[in-house]
Amino acid sequence: MQLNRYFLILGNFWKRHQHSLAASSIAFSMSIGVLGLRGAGGFQALDLKSLDYLFRLRPTESVDDRIVIIEISESDIQRQGKWPWSDRLFADLVDKISVAKPASIGIDKILDLPSGEGRKELIAAIKAAGNVVNVTVLAETGKQGISLPQDLADVSQAGFANLPADSGSLIRRAILAVDEGSFPLLLAEMYLEKKANMPIKFDRELVRFSVGDRVIPRIRSNYGGYRNIDSSGYQVLINYRGKEGSFKHISAVDLLQGKIEPARLHDRIVLIGVTAISIKDSYPSPFSTEDEVMYGVEFHANIASQIISAGIDHRPFIDVWSEEWEAVWIILWTIAGGAISVLTRNVIINWLILTGLVLTLGGSVTFAFMLAWWLPFFPAVIGLVGANVLVTAYEFSQEQADRKLLTGLFSRHVSKELVDVIWAQREQFIKEGRIAGQEVYVTVLFTDMRNFSTFSEKQQPAETLILLNEYLGAIASVVLQHGGMVDKYIGDAVMAVFGVPIPHDLEQDRSKDAQNAVMAAVEAAKQLIEMNKHRIDQGLPQVVTGIGINSGMVIAGSLGSEERLEYSVLGDAVNVASRLESLNKEADGGAYHILISQETSRRLDDKFEIEFVGDFALKGREAETSVYRVLDVKDRTIKLLDEMN
């Protein structure tokens, strides 16, 4: 029993809040779907593309003149007339650079084997410089590593030059260290120690690098838009200064020929690297278009630059939120998409707000990237738009169901124009899949054919049906013309109500309803008189009807089961109208056989000719009811009622 009680409470709660709960469920489900798809890597390609786009949107940063690239370009190779260059040429380059007393020298050229003449000169030049870093290559799956030969290892440091590539060989990440430091890390470390006495620290307990007051954020297997990647080593996102060519380039041949002032290299990180297209040491970067690439030496320059800039200039590393906060971010945008659909009924306004939110999301992500935070864009925007579309679709289906409910209940009873008004004000009517019960003031009209049984006996069923349809059609037509609702047909009787389904609270509107009801009764009676003239001409018996009208408070709402609902009114005012119609058999209702209650008569504002009939004890009521008959419409009434309607 207790369990049943809980289920009943839950059921009632669902009925009361079905709309909001359904929309919330859709938004929540969309959030779970987006997060699940993101966790499986479904958004990785889009997220990485958005990262590239953010780099291109970001304003160009100033050139970091602390780093200079001595490039061996296609032109330099042609000027020398050969490749690879001999060790003697590299020895001359190192000698020319070391004269300028740079902070560190990096040779981004594998020198594992002697090349031409001058090996001893190269060893001597590197030893004399005392601050040279050579490159090695870490072994990778299917690829053999390349170590520094002993002769160079004795006189220089060595750092690996491996760059982890994403799909399409695009470089977005750097490996700072594995069991040894990377090429750009060692160059930056030399510079910081010499120029700022600032070591790059490594916390073995927390497993993290820091420079100055900044922790270098480490890429994990799931990091930002990355999902389930190989995050071995200490990887970071490269905070590019700009596209290719963002660092100062000096021709290696110009340097060898003495055309470069040594001061341009003083206290700088000097990188020797190849930028010749034929050597193919180039990869796409976030800034690359179809024909643009960035050379390996420029990647190393960017990595070294972001390390020394973080320590000296407090330039931030690109970081991401924790997975939990990213999930909250995505969920909030998804909820926002569903919420605006619930709160905004107008489709155009909904899409305008949605467009505004998408632009706000894009602006927020872009602004955050300016501050070096990489936030999820595509998962959030898909959650936002997806939830909005799904909730809108749900709203549309519910709207169609509500429209079907309302039109099904009212289209047979009121005019099409009134159905449209009801639909526009549907929030007043629909509650838990039914028409909500309302206490309203109405005027109820009952009419009944007096001699229907006589007709049924003397005519064929088909003829009786034709008569009945003609009679009921005439009654219904005038009721609808005067803004009334045909509540129901009861055999040969009609029940009509004025003042529903749109409730009228103003006294003048309630009086107007009463006047419309009486006017409809008079016109119906006149139509029956005309109908009877034709029937007399055809030798058929006349149709006699009785009409009863009363005004008062009733309960209006839907009645029946979910399979079959009817809109109707209940209350003592309805019973009185029915009794007044029946009273026509005893009391004289005048030429039109219309009897009305005192409550209705007081609302006619002297627009009709009426007479007091008497006080009657109606069936089911203890107190007597004052009854009036309607004789006719006063001359000016028709015009006034037309103006009111």
Side-chain angles (χ1 to χ4, degrees), residues 510-524:
R510 292 178 175 181
S511 295
K512 176 182 171 182
D513 289 333
Q515 293 162 26
N516 282 334
V518 174
M519 190 68 196
V522 171
E523 288 191 11

Side-chain angles (χ1 to χ4, degrees), residues 202-217:
F202 180 70
D203 189 322
R204 295 185 178 276
E205 184 176 343
L206 297 176
V207 192
R208 70 183 187 189
F209 280 102
S210 60
V211 53
D213 59 355
R214 291 193 177 272
V215 173
I216 302 177

Side-chain angles (χ1 to χ4, degrees), residues 89-109:
L89 273 178
F90 277 100
D92 289 345
L93 274 176
V94 172
D95 282 336
K96 294 284 187 182
I97 294 169
S98 63
V99 168
K101 300 187 182 302
S104 58
I105 302 171
I107 304 176
D108 186 23
K109 167 70 172 66

Side-chain angles (χ1 to χ4, degrees), residues 25 37 71 75 99 126 158 247 311 317 388 510 528 550-551 645:
S25 298
L37 186 59
E71 66 173 349
S75 173
V99 168
I126 291 174
F247 292 89
F317 293 94
N388 184 267
R510 292 178 175 181
L528 289 177
N550 180 44
S551 304
N645 289 324

